[in-house]
Amino acid sequence: MRTLTTTQELAEFCQAAAAHDYVTIDTEFLRERTYYSKLCLIQMAYRGANGEEDAVLVDPLVEGLSQEPLYALFRDESVVKVFHAARQDLEIFFVEGNTFPVPLFDTQVAAMVCGFGEQVGYETLVRKIAKQPLDKTSRFTDWSRRPLTDAQKTYALADVTHLRDIYEFLAAQLEKSGREKWVREELRVLTNPDTYTILPEDAWKRLKTRTNSGKFLAVARELARFREEFAQTRNVPRNRVYKDDALLELASTKPANYDDLNRSRLLLREARKGDIAEGILKAVKAGVSADPSTYPKVPNGKDKLQVNPALADLLRVLLKAKSENTGVAPKLIATASELDAIASGQRDLPSLSGWRAEVFGDDALRICKGEVALGLDGQKVKVVRLN
């Protein structure tokens, strides 16, 4: 089990990998105590034309090791970079190196398109495709501690060695079915910087609240903005600043001074003093004094939509039929909330564009217009065009 600890060693491996069609990559990281993920280990492997294998671990915690050779490989469009469930890995590389791997192949996305269900796990694909067992006992170890044990190294390397068989199988399936463009559409989101950029002014949109009070939402927006800025600049988890339930309590009680702040039931002790307390009071003041014309508005929920229930039921039947016909998980095609939105007249929805439109959306709109009906052909639901 070879571990690369110098920039030169990493550069030599990446140069060798660049001679092959694809390279498999995974990472181990920690995020429990920081806002941004702490990269602790990188695993890479490739298989040459003659079947030779080379798999390595890269230790990014070694002082002086630069990841620029890896980023250069990411930018090499002649080599496919293969990940499984790549979102968190890509966020790390985007934050640290402002680089995305191109072209990208995510085996979790490809597996969903190939009929393996929604958000299928790596262990499942190893068992079903590579026909190998997978030891997951090292999954929750502290990857920042050194030295790594042999068990940790073995576990980490398995995440890229079996990935080669999975990639080759899924790539062949996609070529056979003609669904490569479906995967490319999904991966555009993963390689969009907006996916990983959380603007403090938009942080309030992550909150779950049932109130439509403009002043309440204005205070919540300012509290969420301050928390996000504080967490980002100090690199601490946002819940270590204060949790969502405490934020919503503060938006309701609107403390004006330290005495008011100390009456909070949910606020952590550390947040009742110092920079956090000062930031809370300033945020509340800014929210309370905000111009009503700038109050945020909560998007319409299901209860606010004028949903045609009969039409929504028809769309659910259509979705089930399309899912069975294509072997693609229903939630990957359209969510329950999207079905209600379609039945209420909304049209700017993911399920009505791209490959989803071909599979489901176009017929969904035809049902809405009364151009088609649903019928039975034996045990299968079919779409019937109406004159």
Side-chain angles (χ1 to χ4, degrees):
M1 292 180 284
R2 186 156 60 108
T3 301
L4 310 184
T5 58
T6 68
T7 304
Q8 180 61 33
E9 290 175 332
L10 178 59
E12 290 172 357
F13 181 86
C14 289
Q15 288 168 5
H20 301 285
D21 294 334
Y22 70 88
V23 58
T24 56
I25 305 170
D26 190 36
T27 69
E28 306 298 340
F29 55 88
L30 295 178
R31 197 169 193 168
E32 291 79 7
R33 299 185 293 273
T34 57
Y35 182 92
Y36 299 105
S37 296
K38 179 181 180 181
L39 181 61
C40 299
L41 193 67
I42 305 170
Q43 304 97 278
M44 303 174 65
Y46 62 78
R47 176 182 293 161
N50 297 323
E52 76 273 12
E53 300 180 356
D54 198 355
V56 297
L57 304 173
V58 182
D59 190 347
L61 300 183
V62 174
E63 186 176 354
L65 186 143
S66 168
Q67 291 170 205
E68 182 52 38
L70 177 60
Y71 298 144
L73 181 62
F74 281 0
R75 294 187 289 266
D76 186 342
E77 297 187 15
S78 69
V79 185
V80 178
K81 273 63 74 169
V82 182
F83 292 77
H84 178 82
R87 182 174 179 132
Q88 288 186 298
D89 301 314
L90 299 191
E91 181 180 14
I92 291 172
F93 294 126
F94 172 67
V95 170
E96 294 200 359
N98 195 32
T99 304
F100 288 115
V102 182
L104 168 70
F105 190 97
D106 188 325
T107 56
Q108 185 177 70
V109 174
M112 289 191 289
V113 168
C114 290
F116 283 86
E118 184 189 11
Q119 293 186 327
V120 60
Y122 180 67
E123 186 176 5
T124 299
L125 295 181
V126 171
R127 186 176 66 254
K128 291 186 175 182
I129 296 176
K131 309 298 182 184
Q132 296 289 332
L134 194 63
D135 181 7
K136 305 297 286 184
T137 55
S138 296
R139 174 185 292 180
F140 299 112
T141 59
D142 184 347
W143 291 100
S144 67
R145 296 187 64 180
R146 294 294 186 270
L148 296 173
T149 66
D150 286 345
Q152 286 177 303
K153 293 178 181 180
T154 299
Y155 164 88
L157 284 175
D159 281 348
V160 288
T161 52
H162 297 311
L163 194 54
R164 295 175 300 210
D165 294 326
I166 294 169
Y167 164 68
E168 291 177 0
F169 176 87
L170 293 174
Q173 289 291 103
L174 291 172
E175 184 178 6
K176 182 179 179 181
S177 64
R179 295 180 178 179
E180 298 102 321
K181 72 172 185 175
W182 294 16
V183 174
R184 287 196 295 270
E185 282 184 32
E186 296 300 296
L187 295 183
R188 288 194 193 105
V189 175
L190 291 180
T191 54
N192 184 342
D194 292 343
T195 301
Y196 310 100
T197 303
I198 300 177
L199 299 175
E201 57 266 32
D202 292 332
W204 71 274
K205 296 177 182 178
R206 303 165 62 98
L207 300 172
K208 295 180 180 179
T209 176
R210 296 181 179 180
T211 181
N212 289 322
S213 165
K215 182 167 287 189
F216 174 92
L217 292 174
V219 176
R221 176 185 61 193
E222 298 307 316
L223 287 168
R225 184 206 304 266
F226 164 70
R227 182 177 67 171
E228 206 70 25
E229 290 174 345
F230 189 93
Q232 289 180 356
T233 55
R234 306 295 180 90
N235 195 23
V236 296
R238 62 176 64 89
N239 282 346
R240 293 281 182 89
V241 185
Y242 41 82
K243 296 183 179 180
D244 284 359
D245 55 359
L247 187 156
L248 296 176
E249 179 194 41
L250 294 169
S252 178
T253 59
K254 303 176 182 61
N257 52 53
Y258 286 96
D259 287 339
D260 293 343
L261 200 61
N262 282 316
R263 293 190 185 99
S264 169
R265 296 183 301 108
L266 302 175
L267 197 61
L268 296 172
R269 182 182 303 173
E270 294 78 7
R272 299 170 188 263
K273 57 186 178 181
D275 292 342
I276 297 178
E278 183 178 347
I280 289 173
L281 295 176
K282 286 182 178 178
V284 171
K285 184 177 180 180
V288 169
S289 61
D291 187 326
S293 65
T294 67
Y295 285 171
K297 292 181 174 60
V298 176
N300 286 334
K302 179 181 177 181
D303 57 333
K304 299 295 180 64
L305 297 175
Q306 299 298 314
V307 179
N308 181 327
L311 178 55
D313 288 341
L314 282 174
L315 293 173
R316 282 170 169 75
V317 175
L318 175 67
L319 177 60
K320 187 174 187 298
K322 295 293 188 178
S323 173
E324 291 175 351
N325 290 341
T326 60
V328 179
K331 288 184 180 179
L332 185 62
I333 301 173
T335 63
S337 61
E338 283 186 271
L339 298 182
D340 289 327
I342 295 170
S344 73
Q346 293 188 25
R347 295 295 179 260
D348 185 17
L349 300 164
S351 54
L352 300 180
S353 64
W355 69 267
R356 291 176 174 83
E358 297 176 26
V359 171
F360 166 79
D362 290 345
D363 279 336
L365 292 179
R366 293 186 185 105
I367 286 179
C368 294
K369 296 175 183 176
E371 297 175 353
V372 299
L374 299 179
L376 282 177
D377 183 5
Q379 297 296 316
K380 289 189 175 182
V381 174
K382 65 177 183 178
V383 177
V384 181
R385 286 191 172 272
L386 301 176
N387 293 328

